[in-house]
Each structure stands twice: as C-alpha cells, then as structure tokens.
Amino acid sequence: MRHAEDKVAFVYSDAFTRYKFTEDHPFNPKRLEMTLDLIHTLRLLDGVPLIEPVPATMEQLLAVHDSRYLDAVQRASLPDADPDSYAPWGLGTEDTPIFPGMHDASALVAGGTVQAAELVMSGKADHAINLAGGLHHAHRAQASGFCVYNDIAVAIAHVKKKYAGARIAYIDTDAHHGDGVQWMFYEDPDVLTISFHETGKYLYPGTGEITERGEGRGYGYSLNVPLEAFTEDESWMESLTAILEPVLDAFAPDLIIHQNGCDAHRYDPLTHLCATTRIYREMPRLTHRLAHKLCGGRYVAVGGGGYDIWRVVPRAWTMLWAEMLGRPLPEALPPEWIARWQGDAPDPLPTQFVDPPNLFEPIPRRAEIEEKNQITVRRVLNGTPFL
Amino acid sequence: MLVESIMTENVVTLTQSMSVQDALDISKAHRVRHMPVVRDGYLVGLVSDRDLRDAKPSTLESCDDQLLRETLVDKIMVKDVHTCHRLDFVEDAAAQMHRHRIGCLPVVSQGRLVGIISERDILHTLVEMMGVNAPTSRVEIEVPDRPGMLADIADLLRARRMNTSTVMVFPSPVAGCKRIVFRVRTMDPRRFLQDIENAGYTVIHHPCASSQGEV
Ligand SMILES: [Zn+2]
Ligand SMILES: [Zn+2]
C-alpha cells in the first residue's frame, strides 16, 4: 500500500555493530551492514531522515530490568571481567558470551527502539524502524538467546509512562517465541503481545504454548500461535491473517510494534520452519495496513533473529523498509550489491527479492501440518476472551 | 522431591456433625473436590464431590432438601482413607494415587492432618519436571542401555559450557536401548548435536536430524 503523505524515520548508527559477541557467533552484526548497503544501493534512504540513536537511560532500562542485573551487565562489560561469575545472569554462556562494552552496545540498541517509538507517538513520524532492535528473549534479570537488554520492552514501558492510557499491540513473527516481552507484560491488559513461532517442542525457548494467555487483569492479552516444524509460506500467512485481523480489530491499539525476526526461512540454520522470502514481503504489508486501519498509521518495526545473514536477512529487511516507505522494489537484487558481498558469502547469493515458487521441494506431510496449524489457530481464537 | 514441597497446607475441612448441605456449600464456595473430615485436628474421614452428588436426591425429588440438611457428613464420609506423609517422595504419592484410582491424598503426621495433595498438584509438578520453566532447547538421544551413558553425554555438555535444566530417561522402543531427553539452555544446539553423533549416539526426533517433514 502506498501512503505518499507518510512520514518515516530510520534509526541507525554504525555503533549498532558493536553489539557483537564473538567472531563465529550466529548473531552477526554484519547482517546490518549488508542490509544497509542494499538499502543504500536501491536509494531507499534518499530524503529520509537518518536518526542517530542515543543510549537508553538507566531509568528507562530500570522500568523493565532488575537493578542487580543492570549492575552485573555493567561489570561484565569491563575488559578484565571473568565470564564464569555471570552464569546466574545468563551471561558468559555459549549463547550470550560477555564482551567489552556490552552494556553500552546493548543500551544503544534499546535507546534506538525507544526513539523509534517516541518519534511515532509524538507524531514526528508515522512509521519508524530500528533494525538493530528486536531482542525479544531478554528477561527482567537474565540474558537469554543472544539478547541482553529487551529493547522492545524498554520502548513499550517508555510509551506507557509518557503516553498514559496508550494501548500497544506487539506482534512477534520471529521463528522463536517472544518470551521476554510476553513475561514482562503478562499481567498488563494495555499491552497485547501476539507471538507466532515454531512450537517449543524442540525449539528454544520451549515456551509459547496456546495456554499461556496472561494473568490477572492481563488474562487474554498474551496470545501464542505455536506452528508446526516445516510450516511453509501459505500456512504461515493463513495463520497470521486469521489471527491478526479480528484480534487487533477488537483490541483497537494506539500503536503497533512489529518484531521482524526472519529466522522462519527454510535456509535458517537454527530453526525448522520452511518459509521463503515471500512471507517477508507479505507480513509487513499486513501489519502496515493494520496500523493505518486501526491506529492512525502509528507503526514501529524492529529486527530480531535471522541467522542466514547472507541469503535471507538483507532481502527480508529491505522489503520491510520498502513497505514502510511505500516504495516499490525491483524484482531483482542490484548486481553491484551481489558483486560486493558474494566473495565473502559461503553460498551463492540469491538474485531475486522473492524466492521463486519452486525453489524448495514440497514438504511430504504438508496437508497434516496445515491442518494442525488450522486447529491451533482455532483454539487461539476460541480462547481469546475479548473477541 | 518431597510431598511437603508441593502440598496445599491450608486445607478446606469438614466436621462430622456438619450436614451434607453444609458440605455442598463449602465445596462450592472454595471450589474444592475433596474435603478431609477432622476432629480436633485428627483425620477421621474424607468426602469427595462424588460422595456429595450421590447423597443428593435427583432433581425430581427436589423437595427432599430437608434430607440434605438432616443427613450428617459422618454418615456419607469414607472412613478408610488413603493418606501419605509429608516426607514421602512425590513419585510414591503419585504411584499410590494411580494404583488406587483416587484423586487426592490427605497428608497426615502423627494422626493430624497437615496438608493435602491432589491430581492437579502432581500434574503441575510433572509439567515443571519435564520442563519449560527456563528457556531451553529439547534434545532427545538414543543410547545403549548400559552404565555410563548419561555421564558420556554430560561430558559433551560440559565441554560446550552448556547448562541443562532437566534430564529425563525413558525406555526406548528399540531393544537394548534407552532414551535420554535433555532440555539444554541454548538457542543453538547444533554443535552439541554434532558432538553426540560424532560420539556414536543417535539424536531422535529432532527436526534437524530427520529428513524434511518426516518427523
Ligand atoms: Zn504507511
Ligand atoms: Zn529467533
């Protein structure tokens, strides 16, 4: 959809790439460089204000994180910190190793998402994006799944504090359950969290069951749609559409935040879903449209997971940005971009934004998987009290 | 894990001299299905919602409300009650409930009622034990049924600095084997899975380890 009058903001700093664990860690900030380069090559930032992020303040972080945890992260950020003494905080593990400057890098990412939300809520922008954000696994007092500070939760808490009464819809389409954000607002009826993910039967973090629906006054305001391993585009999009339309209509949000982790792709090495980049064109289209329909276009997008940094992330997030901008994309990737990155890439880089329909063999148990997902969607809708 | 760590201590109780109507009201108000009957703190019987239903006249004879008010708990309660001790293991209590097909066990210490555990408490414990109270990935491994297997795999985890939140050992449908299920605190178990295969064991059911879609 094109909204020529939309004001958009792109929050970015080269310092975002300091959020980096080790050389061979799957969460690799090179994906941000590659994405930015692709966006620049397509001239999708011409005339768009590039917003330099400021780090989240201690006060902003304390709204969702434990002060002892913030303390531990700061101590673990010193060059001579001993990784073994931070295990209770989920730090110094193989997933979330400590590194010098960890606090500053994480606070900058969180600050970026706060700024994106603030720009939108204050009316300075209709849509804003922070591709370094989306660290949805971070808990109140524990790092988890490559996430140190929960930038999304920090931004939501900021909005709730500054814009009293605001109702926020958080949509998480990362392949993993958006557990951190869910638990932080589990009892809050003004923050609706909806997570679509591969079922936790095998996949990290294991939570995100249909039965996790919130607690107390927040009952019904946490939604989980655990989809089967090997789910493909059609079933994934069908589930999304069936849930998001009625649920968001009924909730009537003032702001939509969409986490755009792109690890549901067939190429992703950490998950077992079988989507193609088609869903990364269609999902932002859907959530962008809902923002215009339901909350005056107030729409914030963040990144998230995505571990095929060569073949998936740059395409997915460029399509996301083009959608927010209302600018059509060419079908083919610019050859000069491919030429610049192909040398480093372990696999041939794709040449089209949208994967061709016959790229992968169909899944043998497709019909059963689709049926199971349809049952899941029905159970989610049936148990949502405000529908 | 001991019964005392999962039992409910504030038990809704009845006395023998209460009427069946009182018992029905209490059961409804507290939404409990099992109510121990006590005298001076000592357990003397148990009333379940089934006993109450049986005592209640069918709706056709609803004029018999009188009967409900006149019949005493003492008359309908079960006197020979299965109980457990607060220091019993949860698995023993669960086995006892399963064997006798009962929905609860009053916890008794020196004759006095100190708590109660229900099917729900047992299920809740099971869910916690099987594990997803901490963010983890699930890994299931088939190993030969001989000593030292668990230690072997634990060594692999230690080498990777990976923490485990739960471990379960199940019988395997393959003769001479058993299955070990770990919930490992990592988002990226790939190298651990590779270690397991390199060590000659089989990863079961994991989507990565099976051909696509044929899990
Ligand atoms: Zn728009
Ligand atoms: Zn993810």
Side-chain angles (χ1 to χ4, degrees):
Chain A
M1 206 191 298
R2 299 186 67 172
H3 300 270
E5 70 284 9
D6 280 352
K7 286 173 291 186
V8 288
F10 196 99
V11 180
Y12 193 78
S13 159
D14 289 333
F16 275 158
T17 56
R18 290 188 201 144
Y19 189 85
K20 178 173 182 173
F21 298 102
T22 55
E23 279 309 315
D24 59 349
H25 193 282
F27 194 97
N28 186 342
K30 180 173 254 180
R31 59 195 194 139
L32 285 180
E33 289 174 53
M34 294 177 67
T35 304
L36 258 285
D37 186 36
L38 182 53
I39 286 173
H40 273 301
T41 307
L42 291 160
R43 311 187 67 88
L44 295 176
L45 281 174
D46 292 3
V48 173
L50 210 59
I51 308 291
E52 183 75 22
V54 290
T57 62
M58 271 306 182
E59 198 193 339
Q60 286 169 338
L61 294 171
L62 277 167
V64 299
H65 288 294
D66 193 296
S67 63
R68 289 161 303 172
Y69 174 61
L70 296 182
D71 210 52
V73 174
Q74 283 173 296
R75 277 182 285 119
S77 302
L78 301 173
D80 55 350
D82 167 22
D84 286 333
S85 39
Y86 296 97
W89 307 106
L91 297 164
T93 56
E94 188 160 279
D95 271 19
T96 320
I98 64 174
F99 61 93
M102 181 168 61
H103 166 79
D104 291 337
S106 311
L108 189 67
V109 171
T113 305
V114 169
Q115 247 163 316
E118 174 60 28
L119 285 164
V120 168
M121 289 304 290
S122 65
K124 293 199 181 77
D126 297 293
H127 315 326
I129 193 169
N130 174 18
L131 287 175
L135 306 178
H136 61 165
H137 292 307
H139 288 65
R140 181 166 185 81
Q142 201 164 53
S144 168
F146 317 158
C147 303
V148 179
Y149 294 149
N150 197 315
D151 61 293
I152 305 156
V154 175
I156 293 174
H158 166 80
V159 169
K160 277 183 59 84
K161 188 171 169 212
K162 187 155 173 199
Y163 302 91
R167 293 163 68 75
I168 299 145
Y170 169 67
I171 302 167
D172 186 317
T173 53
D174 190 283
H176 299 91
H177 174 219
D179 56 342
V181 185
Q182 168 178 304
W183 299 130
M184 283 170 175
F185 300 99
Y186 207 52
E187 298 178 37
D188 191 336
D190 294 326
V191 179
L192 171 68
T193 63
I194 311 177
S195 179
F196 299 85
H197 46 265
E198 175 185 334
T199 133
K201 268 182 232 161
Y202 293 95
L203 193 69
Y204 195 87
T207 45
E209 292 285 344
I210 300 177
T211 48
E212 293 161 27
R213 290 192 179 272
E215 227 160 70
R217 286 180 59 234
Y219 184 84
Y221 296 92
S222 295
L223 262 72
N224 284 292
V225 191
L227 300 170
E228 292 299 291
F230 305 107
T231 293
E232 297 166 283
D233 290 352
E234 223 170 284
S235 181
W236 178 272
M237 285 311 303
E238 181 188 312
S239 311
L240 235 82
T241 314
I243 302 260
L244 288 181
E245 290 272 359
V247 170
L248 288 188
D249 269 353
F251 180 72
D254 299 304
L255 169 68
I256 290 178
I257 302 179
H258 184 180
Q259 195 267 21
N260 291 269
C262 52
D263 41 9
H265 195 280
R266 181 86 163 244
Y267 285 147
D268 195 275
L270 293 193
T271 70
H272 321 103
L273 295 167
C274 288
T276 74
T277 52
R278 193 169 296 270
I279 68 167
Y280 299 115
R281 186 181 59 181
E282 289 176 19
M283 289 195 290
R285 216 176 252 176
L286 173 60
T287 52
H288 178 204
R289 177 170 66 73
L290 289 170
H292 279 288
K293 177 181 160 197
L294 300 171
C295 49
R298 282 185 294 273
Y299 181 52
V300 169
V302 291
Y307 306 100
D308 192 319
I309 66 165
W310 308 98
R311 295 178 294 180
V312 178
V313 184
R315 288 190 294 161
W317 289 353
T318 300
M319 287 193 284
L320 164 65
W321 174 239
E323 170 64 34
M324 295 173 82
L325 205 54
R327 285 263 289 275
L329 278 178
E331 277 177 29
L333 299 182
E336 62 270 37
W337 182 84
I338 296 177
R340 264 198 299 281
W341 296 98
Q342 184 62 76
D344 295 342
D347 304 289
L349 294 175
T351 56
Q352 312 277 309
F353 274 101
V354 176
D355 291 323
N358 54 353
L359 182 60
F360 303 109
E361 289 282 302
I363 296 300
R365 294 176 63 178
R366 174 183 284 172
E368 266 172 71
I369 290 167
E370 286 175 357
E371 184 188 22
K372 180 78 204 290
N373 288 342
Q374 283 161 358
I375 294 169
T376 298
V377 164
R378 225 173 302 137
R379 285 180 55 203
V380 172
L381 290 173
N382 284 344
T384 299
F386 57 82
L387 282 182
Chain B
M1 192 182 288
L2 301 178
V3 161
E4 65 179 6
S5 64
I6 69 160
M7 70 185 187
T8 303
E9 284 177 86
N10 291 323
V11 189
V12 177
T13 57
L14 305 174
T15 60
Q16 287 156 282
S17 56
M18 285 177 174
S19 70
V20 170
Q21 184 62 55
D22 293 336
L24 273 167
D25 293 344
I26 291 170
S27 160
K28 212 176 196 174
H30 294 273
R31 304 168 82 190
V32 287
R33 297 178 50 197
H34 305 276
M35 291 168 291
V37 184
V38 292
R39 186 174 57 212
D40 303 331
Y42 289 87
L43 180 74
V44 292
L46 182 73
V47 174
S48 72
D49 57 349
R50 235 214 9 248
D51 303 328
L52 291 173
R53 248 182 286 129
D54 292 347
K56 210 172 161 182
S58 75
T59 42
L60 287 175
E61 328 161 47
S62 54
C63 53
D64 276 5
D65 277 5
Q66 181 98 25
L67 193 67
L68 291 179
R69 281 193 294 272
E70 280 169 5
T71 312
L72 296 186
V73 161
D74 188 53
K75 224 182 128 199
I76 65 156
M77 73 184 188
V78 174
K79 295 196 172 92
D80 183 18
V81 186
H82 292 283
T83 64
C84 65
H85 190 265
R86 62 190 306 153
L87 299 180
D88 284 346
F89 286 119
V90 171
E91 55 265 40
D92 292 335
Q96 197 182 346
M97 286 165 72
H98 180 71
R99 191 163 50 237
H100 300 295
R101 297 162 185 264
I102 48 181
C104 82
L105 281 177
V107 187
V108 171
S109 194
Q110 294 176 334
R112 286 177 167 272
L113 180 76
V114 295
I116 192 165
I117 58 171
S118 66
E119 282 171 314
R120 231 186 113 69
D121 298 325
I122 300 277
L123 264 177
H124 179 76
T125 307
L126 190 68
V127 167
E128 284 212 323
M129 278 175 16
M130 295 200 297
V132 265
N133 40 3
T136 49
S137 301
R138 183 184 201 270
V139 177
E140 183 166 347
I141 308 159
E142 187 149 86
V143 297
D145 189 8
R146 58 167 195 260
M149 294 296 104
L150 193 57
D152 258 18
I153 311 265
D155 280 343
L156 300 177
L157 281 166
R158 180 171 47 201
R160 289 270 172 226
R161 298 175 63 88
M162 282 179 182
N163 206 348
T164 304
S165 79
T166 53
V167 182
M168 290 178 288
V169 182
F170 291 108
S172 166
V174 179
C177 287
K178 62 188 172 192
R179 288 194 177 167
I180 311 181
V181 175
F182 290 90
R183 292 230 59 133
V184 187
R185 303 193 68 160
T186 180
M187 185 145 116
D188 183 7
R190 286 176 297 169
R191 286 186 285 192
F192 173 51
L193 295 177
Q194 195 56 56
D195 294 342
I196 295 166
E197 306 239 297
N198 291 347
Y201 305 120
T202 317
V203 177
I204 299 292
H205 287 333
H206 195 279
C208 267
S210 55
S211 61
Q212 287 140 2
E214 295 171 299
V215 260

